[in-house]
mmCIF file of all heavy atoms in Angstrom:
data_model
loop_
_atom_site.group_PDB
_atom_site.id
_atom_site.type_symbol
_atom_site.label_atom_id
_atom_site.label_comp_id
_atom_site.label_asym_id
_atom_site.label_seq_id
_atom_site.Cartn_x
_atom_site.Cartn_y
_atom_site.Cartn_z
ATOM 1 N N HIS A 109 -2.413 158.846 32.176
ATOM 2 C CA HIS A 109 -1.384 159.549 31.408
ATOM 3 C C HIS A 109 -0.030 159.320 32.066
ATOM 4 O O HIS A 109 0.176 159.677 33.212
ATOM 5 C CB HIS A 109 -1.702 161.040 31.333
ATOM 6 C CG HIS A 109 -3.025 161.311 30.701
ATOM 7 N ND1 HIS A 109 -3.241 161.194 29.342
ATOM 8 C CD2 HIS A 109 -4.218 161.650 31.236
ATOM 9 C CE1 HIS A 109 -4.494 161.458 29.074
ATOM 10 N NE2 HIS A 109 -5.121 161.745 30.205
ATOM 11 N N THR A 110 0.859 158.712 31.306
ATOM 12 C CA THR A 110 2.203 158.460 31.814
ATOM 13 C C THR A 110 3.200 158.726 30.699
ATOM 14 O O THR A 110 2.890 158.557 29.520
ATOM 15 C CB THR A 110 2.357 157.023 32.355
ATOM 16 O OG1 THR A 110 3.659 156.887 32.890
ATOM 17 C CG2 THR A 110 2.107 155.993 31.285
ATOM 18 N N ALA A 111 4.356 159.151 31.055
ATOM 19 C CA ALA A 111 5.372 159.506 30.069
ATOM 20 C C ALA A 111 6.433 158.424 29.896
ATOM 21 O O ALA A 111 7.248 158.500 29.004
ATOM 22 C CB ALA A 111 6.046 160.812 30.460
ATOM 23 N N SER A 112 6.424 157.424 30.778
ATOM 24 C CA SER A 112 7.496 156.442 30.689
ATOM 25 C C SER A 112 6.999 155.055 31.092
ATOM 26 O O SER A 112 5.960 154.910 31.722
ATOM 27 C CB SER A 112 8.672 156.851 31.567
ATOM 28 O OG SER A 112 8.267 156.874 32.922
ATOM 29 N N PHE A 113 7.785 154.074 30.726
ATOM 30 C CA PHE A 113 7.517 152.685 31.077
ATOM 31 C C PHE A 113 8.491 152.277 32.171
ATOM 32 O O PHE A 113 9.566 152.857 32.303
ATOM 33 C CB PHE A 113 7.719 151.787 29.852
ATOM 34 C CG PHE A 113 6.734 152.055 28.756
ATOM 35 C CD1 PHE A 113 7.067 152.886 27.698
ATOM 36 C CD2 PHE A 113 5.473 151.472 28.773
ATOM 37 C CE1 PHE A 113 6.155 153.143 26.690
ATOM 38 C CE2 PHE A 113 4.557 151.721 27.768
ATOM 39 C CZ PHE A 113 4.898 152.558 26.722
ATOM 40 N N PRO A 114 8.158 151.239 32.919
ATOM 41 C CA PRO A 114 9.106 150.751 33.933
ATOM 42 C C PRO A 114 10.425 150.339 33.288
ATOM 43 O O PRO A 114 10.455 149.826 32.164
ATOM 44 C CB PRO A 114 8.386 149.534 34.530
ATOM 45 C CG PRO A 114 6.942 149.730 34.200
ATOM 46 C CD PRO A 114 6.907 150.485 32.913
ATOM 47 N N ASP A 115 11.527 150.557 33.999
ATOM 48 C CA ASP A 115 12.855 150.220 33.489
ATOM 49 C C ASP A 115 12.989 148.749 33.097
ATOM 50 O O ASP A 115 13.716 148.410 32.164
ATOM 51 C CB ASP A 115 13.934 150.544 34.525
ATOM 52 C CG ASP A 115 14.143 152.030 34.699
ATOM 53 O OD1 ASP A 115 13.721 152.793 33.804
ATOM 54 O OD2 ASP A 115 14.730 152.429 35.719
ATOM 55 N N PHE A 116 12.284 147.868 33.798
ATOM 56 C CA PHE A 116 12.444 146.439 33.535
ATOM 57 C C PHE A 116 11.786 146.010 32.219
ATOM 58 O O PHE A 116 11.900 144.861 31.824
ATOM 59 C CB PHE A 116 11.937 145.585 34.703
ATOM 60 C CG PHE A 116 10.506 145.835 35.092
ATOM 61 C CD1 PHE A 116 9.450 145.251 34.396
ATOM 62 C CD2 PHE A 116 10.221 146.645 36.178
ATOM 63 C CE1 PHE A 116 8.143 145.478 34.770
ATOM 64 C CE2 PHE A 116 8.901 146.880 36.554
ATOM 65 C CZ PHE A 116 7.862 146.297 35.845
ATOM 66 N N TYR A 117 11.130 146.927 31.508
ATOM 67 C CA TYR A 117 10.608 146.614 30.173
ATOM 68 C C TYR A 117 11.735 146.620 29.130
ATOM 69 O O TYR A 117 11.548 146.146 28.027
ATOM 70 C CB TYR A 117 9.550 147.626 29.756
ATOM 71 C CG TYR A 117 8.164 147.397 30.313
ATOM 72 C CD1 TYR A 117 7.935 146.648 31.454
ATOM 73 C CD2 TYR A 117 7.062 147.956 29.691
ATOM 74 C CE1 TYR A 117 6.666 146.459 31.958
ATOM 75 C CE2 TYR A 117 5.781 147.768 30.181
ATOM 76 C CZ TYR A 117 5.582 147.022 31.316
ATOM 77 O OH TYR A 117 4.320 146.839 31.801
ATOM 78 N N ASP A 118 12.867 147.184 29.462
ATOM 79 C CA ASP A 118 13.990 147.258 28.527
ATOM 80 C C ASP A 118 14.994 146.159 28.792
ATOM 81 O O ASP A 118 15.168 145.713 29.926
ATOM 82 C CB ASP A 118 14.684 148.619 28.626
ATOM 83 C CG ASP A 118 13.788 149.745 28.156
ATOM 84 O OD1 ASP A 118 13.048 149.544 27.169
ATOM 85 O OD2 ASP A 118 13.827 150.821 28.777
ATOM 86 N N LEU A 119 15.670 145.721 27.732
ATOM 87 C CA LEU A 119 16.731 144.726 27.865
ATOM 88 C C LEU A 119 18.032 145.483 28.116
ATOM 89 O O LEU A 119 18.599 146.074 27.210
ATOM 90 C CB LEU A 119 16.843 143.877 26.594
ATOM 91 C CG LEU A 119 15.634 143.004 26.280
ATOM 92 C CD1 LEU A 119 15.834 142.278 24.972
ATOM 93 C CD2 LEU A 119 15.372 142.028 27.402
ATOM 94 N N ASN A 120 18.439 145.480 29.354
ATOM 95 C CA ASN A 120 19.627 146.208 29.753
ATOM 96 C C ASN A 120 20.414 145.338 30.716
ATOM 97 O O ASN A 120 19.856 144.931 31.739
ATOM 98 C CB ASN A 120 19.230 147.522 30.417
ATOM 99 C CG ASN A 120 20.404 148.423 30.631
ATOM 100 O OD1 ASN A 120 21.481 148.210 30.094
ATOM 101 N ND2 ASN A 120 20.208 149.451 31.446
ATOM 102 N N PRO A 121 21.634 144.966 30.417
ATOM 103 C CA PRO A 121 22.450 145.474 29.322
ATOM 104 C C PRO A 121 21.989 144.920 27.974
ATOM 105 O O PRO A 121 21.323 143.895 27.898
ATOM 106 C CB PRO A 121 23.859 144.968 29.658
ATOM 107 C CG PRO A 121 23.622 143.735 30.455
ATOM 108 C CD PRO A 121 22.352 143.981 31.229
ATOM 109 N N ARG A 122 22.373 145.639 26.918
ATOM 110 C CA ARG A 122 22.034 145.200 25.568
ATOM 111 C C ARG A 122 22.709 143.871 25.267
ATOM 112 O O ARG A 122 23.788 143.593 25.771
ATOM 113 C CB ARG A 122 22.452 146.249 24.552
ATOM 114 C CG ARG A 122 21.606 147.487 24.703
ATOM 115 C CD ARG A 122 21.817 148.439 23.597
ATOM 116 N NE ARG A 122 20.891 149.555 23.771
ATOM 117 C CZ ARG A 122 20.751 150.521 22.932
ATOM 118 N NH1 ARG A 122 21.491 150.547 21.835
ATOM 119 N NH2 ARG A 122 19.894 151.485 23.152
ATOM 120 N N ILE A 123 22.053 143.084 24.456
ATOM 121 C CA ILE A 123 22.523 141.723 24.181
ATOM 122 C C ILE A 123 23.171 141.656 22.802
ATOM 123 O O ILE A 123 22.600 142.123 21.814
ATOM 124 C CB ILE A 123 21.347 140.734 24.277
ATOM 125 C CG1 ILE A 123 20.750 140.796 25.686
ATOM 126 C CG2 ILE A 123 21.787 139.323 23.912
ATOM 127 C CD1 ILE A 123 19.403 140.123 25.813
ATOM 128 N N ASP A 124 24.335 141.062 22.742
ATOM 129 C CA ASP A 124 25.048 140.822 21.486
ATOM 130 C C ASP A 124 24.606 139.449 20.976
ATOM 131 O O ASP A 124 25.210 138.424 21.297
ATOM 132 C CB ASP A 124 26.554 140.862 21.726
ATOM 133 C CG ASP A 124 27.375 140.520 20.495
ATOM 134 O OD1 ASP A 124 26.802 140.277 19.412
ATOM 135 O OD2 ASP A 124 28.610 140.474 20.623
#
Side-chain angles (χ1 to χ4, degrees):
H109 301 286
T110 183
S112 63
F113 295 97
D115 289 342
F116 56 81
Y117 279 22
D118 294 322
L119 295 177
N120 190 13
R122 292 190 176 185
I123 300 166
D124 176 2

